């Protein structure tokens, strides 16, 4: 984009995100959405934040405007935008941070399939009061690649390439057979061993790594981890796997954690994790097929959160351990069910900061397991009369359910005298917590709300306030109501 200023910043996770920062306002007649960036180029595996602010008329036809719903989307179902939180491909990776007239979309563990145009939508309680900021923000997710350049004499040039345009002062790191090489340039010229592997990354952000390539030919020494990061619940088990390749006789192989270096006899010589007292009886190494190793850790504790590496030694060389391995994060269970409004009605999403779309979920309806429901998004009909919860590895969320019939309390009790102070209180058992609205029956089919608070307060009640009042309780699953008679007496 012409005139765009390129900047480099670290997102909350510490990964690198590259942004083309140009603010743009989409709006008309006091309705609008302002995006802080129109184009973002981010690295695969990193975290990105997409920000916007929005505006709307504070009053329309004498009625205050209330925002009822805000969300981000990339696709439509029919003609209706689909909330990003309901997309299984983003499960456990999407988070909204919204306040009054601003909202931030945060996506972690970026994948190339996340490349899309992201738009923000908000819905108010006014008739026709909904708005989409269009065009939105174009996100492009890419990774690094090692490309072979020209050969000079017996030396070959390797280039560390990304389609994200990096600042000129960016420093790079090169790796040979897992060992860090001292070089800060995007190109590297040397004589390469035919079976050795080579990779690169940006200094300070080594987790965003280019896939390794061989010095020559198509097969070379290397270790490839099945998952770069894994999150698991405390008390559960986890499998950390890798595929390794070598063309010489392997003398030794084992898993280790760099964070445990203080237990080693020499800080520079990694030691087998299965011999570490912290993991006694909890570690098992499985090799179901040649060239694949799996580290299984049971009864996980939060202190197990660390990086885990696989190392092997041959008769001639060894696979060094400077490259990032698999990062394990162990957390307390935080399962919860989110209720999302969709074009087809309420939709339920099983959410945890620790789960992904690859996790096997269990859904419960009225404490009974729902067969064939294993995705983070509940696909069945949501009956307002029932309760729903989700589970994973023996852990289960608190059930969600529609509001029960609200109870209405009048304070003070007894006769209501003109000029006195009277409070009507509406309450209902619901999860998520209900939002309340008060109305007065007056024969008008288009009733305007008197209050959107649990309490309706009359500081000095008058005879004209006499009548029939009712409150509604709404938590996106259903709405219920109950009436109460207010009879103001004169002295």
């Amino acid at each position: 984009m012409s005139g765009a200023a390129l900047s480099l910043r670290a997102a909350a996770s510490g990964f690198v995100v590259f942004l083309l920062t140009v603010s743009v306002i989409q709006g008309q007649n006091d309705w609008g959405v302002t995006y802080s960036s129109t184009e973002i180029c981010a690295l695969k595996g990193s975290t990105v934040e997409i920000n916007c602010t929005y505006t709307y008329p504070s009053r329309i036809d004498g009625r205050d405007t209330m925002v009822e719903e805000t969300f981000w989307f990339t696709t439509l179902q029919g003609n209706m935008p689909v909330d990003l939180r309901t997309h299984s491909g983003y499960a456990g990776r999407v988070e909204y941070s919204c306040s009054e007239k601003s909202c931030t979309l945060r996506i972690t563990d970026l994948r190339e399939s996340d490349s899309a145009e992201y738009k923000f939508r908000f819905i108010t309680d006014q008739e026709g009061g909904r708005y989409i900021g269009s065009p939105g923000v174009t996100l492009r997710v890419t990774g690094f690649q090692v490309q072979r350049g020209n050969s000079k004499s017996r030396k070959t040039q390797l280039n560390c390439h990304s389609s994200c345009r990096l600042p000129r002062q960016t420093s790079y790191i090169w790796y040979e057979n897992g060992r860090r090489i001292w070089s800060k340039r995007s190109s590297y010229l040397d004589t390469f061993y035919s079976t050795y592997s080579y990779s690169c990354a940006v200094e300070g952000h080594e987790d965003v790594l280019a896939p390794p390539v061989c010095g020559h030919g198509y097969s070379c020494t290397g270790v490839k981890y099945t998952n770069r990061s894994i999150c698991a619940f405390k008390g559960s088990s986890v499998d950390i796997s890798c595929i390794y390749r070598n063309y010489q006789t392997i003398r030794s192989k084992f898993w280790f954690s760099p964070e445990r270096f203080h237990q080693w006899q020499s800080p520079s010589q990694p030691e087998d994790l299965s011999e570490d007292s912290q993991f006694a009886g909890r570690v098992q190494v499985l090799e179901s097929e040649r060239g694949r190793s799996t580290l299984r850790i049971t009864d996980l504790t939060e202190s197990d959160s660390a990086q885990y590496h696989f190392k092997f030694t041959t008769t001639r060389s060894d696979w060094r351990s400077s490259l990032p391995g698999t990062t394990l994060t162990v957390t307390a269970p935080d399962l919860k069910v989110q209720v999302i409004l969709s074009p087809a009605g309420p939709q339920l999403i099983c959410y945890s900061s620790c789960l992904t779309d690859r996790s096997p979920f269990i859904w419960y309806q009225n404490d009974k397991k729902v067969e064939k429901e294993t995705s983070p998004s509940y696909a069945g009909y949501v009956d307002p009369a029932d309760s729903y919860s989700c589970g994973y590895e023996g852990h289960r969320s608190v059930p969600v359910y529609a509001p029960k019939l609200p109870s209405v309390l009048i304070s003070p009790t007894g006769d209501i005298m003109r000029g006195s102070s009277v409070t009507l209180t509406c309450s209902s058992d619901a999860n998520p917590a209900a939002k309340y609205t008060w109305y007065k029956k007056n024969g008008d089919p288009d009733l305007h709300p008197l209050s959107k608070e649990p309490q309706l307060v009359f500081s000095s009640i008058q005879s004209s306030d006499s009548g029939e009042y009712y409150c509604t309780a709404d938590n996106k699953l259903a709405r219920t109501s109950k009436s109460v008679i207010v009879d103001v007496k004169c002295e």
Side-chain angles (χ1 to χ4, degrees):
M1 178 173 292
S2 176
L6 185 68
S7 66
L8 171 65
R9 79 172 191 184
S13 68
F15 292 130
V16 181
V17 178
F18 305 91
L19 301 95
L20 288 167
T21 53
V22 177
S23 297
V24 64
I25 301 175
Q26 310 293 348
Q28 57 184 5
N29 300 328
D30 297 327
W31 297 84
V33 174
T34 304
Y35 297 107
S36 59
S37 305
T38 58
E39 296 183 11
I40 300 176
C41 187
L43 295 176
K44 181 179 177 182
S46 67
T47 294
V48 70
E49 291 185 353
I50 304 176
N51 308 293
C52 80
T53 57
Y54 57 98
T55 58
Y56 54 87
S58 59
R59 292 177 65 85
I60 298 178
D61 295 332
R63 291 179 56 194
D64 290 338
T65 304
M66 299 289 292
V67 175
E68 295 185 330
E69 191 175 357
T70 59
F71 62 91
W72 294 82
F73 71 97
T74 60
T75 59
L76 301 176
Q77 182 177 324
N79 293 322
M80 299 296 292
V82 179
D83 192 323
L84 206 61
R85 291 170 294 185
T86 67
H87 195 302
S88 62
Y90 291 90
R93 300 191 299 118
V94 164
E95 182 181 351
Y96 296 171
S97 178
C98 300
S99 56
E100 185 178 2
K101 295 188 177 182
S102 69
C103 194
T104 297
L105 165 65
R106 188 171 187 262
I107 310 174
T108 61
D109 189 21
L110 283 171
R111 307 168 185 175
E112 293 182 6
S113 59
D114 296 334
S115 298
E117 183 183 8
Y118 292 79
K119 298 179 182 179
F120 177 77
R121 188 189 202 200
F122 64 94
I123 301 174
T124 71
D125 60 352
Q126 301 282 6
E127 183 177 357
R130 52 190 64 194
Y131 192 84
I132 295 175
S134 185
V137 178
T138 300
L139 171 65
R140 183 162 49 91
V141 181
T142 184
F144 285 113
Q145 288 183 329
V146 177
Q147 299 176 338
R148 290 187 181 85
N150 298 326
S151 297
K152 297 180 179 179
S153 184
R154 295 184 178 181
K155 294 185 178 182
T156 302
Q157 179 172 298
L158 300 180
N159 299 312
C160 193
H161 174 75
S162 172
S163 57
C164 282
R165 190 158 50 97
L166 308 185
R168 185 168 297 184
Q169 66 272 21
T170 300
S171 294
Y172 295 81
I173 299 173
W174 285 90
Y175 297 91
E176 178 188 76
N177 246 27
R179 179 177 63 89
R180 180 167 174 162
I181 301 172
W182 182 256
S183 177
K184 294 192 174 185
R185 296 184 178 181
S186 60
S187 61
Y188 178 53
L189 181 65
D190 205 344
T191 302
F192 301 113
Y193 293 96
S194 60
T195 60
Y196 280 18
S197 66
Y198 299 86
S199 185
C200 66
V202 168
E203 188 174 24
H205 305 280
E206 290 83 349
D207 284 347
V208 185
L209 190 71
V213 300
C214 301
H216 301 285
Y218 299 96
S219 298
C220 55
T221 300
V223 172
K224 181 179 180 180
Y225 297 94
T226 304
N227 295 302
R228 294 296 306 280
S229 62
I230 299 177
C231 190
F233 288 150
K234 181 180 178 181
S236 65
S237 300
V238 69
D239 284 353
I240 303 174
S241 300
C242 75
I243 297 173
Y244 61 94
R245 179 180 293 171
N246 187 71
Y247 299 94
Q248 300 171 2
T249 301
I250 294 180
R251 297 171 54 189
S252 66
K253 54 187 176 182
F254 58 86
W255 287 85
F256 72 96
S257 174
E259 283 86 346
R260 303 292 295 167
F261 74 92
H262 58 279
Q263 298 287 337
W264 305 340
Q265 293 184 3
S266 171
S268 61
Q269 295 298 319
E271 295 182 6
D272 193 336
L273 198 70
S274 61
E275 299 177 2
D276 192 316
S277 59
Q278 176 178 307
F279 297 91
R282 298 194 298 122
V283 164
Q284 184 180 7
V285 177
L286 309 173
E287 295 217 8
S288 57
E289 58 184 275
R290 184 178 180 182
R292 176 183 290 274
S293 182
T294 297
L295 171 68
R296 177 171 294 173
I297 309 175
T298 61
D299 193 20
L300 287 169
T301 66
E302 293 183 5
S303 61
D304 294 333
S305 297
Q307 272 207 38
Y308 294 86
H309 296 241
F310 181 77
K311 176 179 174 62
F312 63 83
T313 303
T314 71
T315 53
R316 295 184 181 179
S317 62
D318 63 357
W319 176 259
R320 270 58 174 273
S321 54
S322 300
L323 287 171
T326 294
T327 300
L328 172 64
T329 303
V330 181
T331 68
D334 61 347
L335 283 168
K336 62 181 178 180
V337 176
Q338 289 184 317
V339 182
I340 308 295
L341 289 180
S342 70
Q347 189 166 0
L348 307 179
I349 306 296
C350 190
Y351 175 81
S352 169
S353 59
C354 202
L355 301 181
T356 71
D357 56 311
R358 295 181 289 269
S359 302
F361 294 82
I362 301 173
W363 282 95
Y364 300 88
Q365 183 177 12
N366 293 334
D367 294 328
K368 184 179 179 181
K369 183 178 177 181
V370 181
E371 299 297 333
K372 298 181 180 179
E373 283 285 356
T374 59
S375 73
S377 178
Y378 184 78
Y381 168 70
V382 179
D383 191 331
D386 295 336
S387 66
Y388 297 86
S389 60
C390 67
Y392 175 77
E393 286 195 347
H395 302 283
R396 189 170 164 185
S397 70
V398 175
V400 298
Y401 49 91
K404 309 301 181 183
L405 185 66
S407 62
V408 178
L409 175 67
I410 303 178
S411 178
T413 59
D415 291 340
I416 300 175
M417 308 306 296
R418 185 176 62 183
S420 63
S421 175
V422 177
T423 300
L424 307 183
T425 301
C426 184
S427 61
S428 172
D429 177 22
N431 186 37
K435 294 181 179 180
Y436 301 97
T437 307
W438 282 96
Y439 298 90
K440 180 181 180 182
K441 289 187 177 181
N442 56 10
D444 183 357
D446 185 22
L447 291 172
H448 295 311
L450 299 175
S451 171
K452 292 194 174 184
E453 299 294 333
Q455 293 183 326
L456 179 62
V457 179
F458 300 89
S459 57
S460 179
I461 198 166
Q462 303 300 314
S463 298
S464 58
D465 294 324
S466 295
E468 188 174 0
Y469 293 81
Y470 68 94
C471 66
T472 66
D474 183 14
N475 72 346
K476 298 183 181 180
L477 285 173
R479 175 176 290 175
T480 56
S481 63
K482 184 177 181 179
S483 298
V484 62
I485 302 295
V486 175
D487 183 15
V488 180
K489 299 182 180 298
C490 298
E491 296 182 2

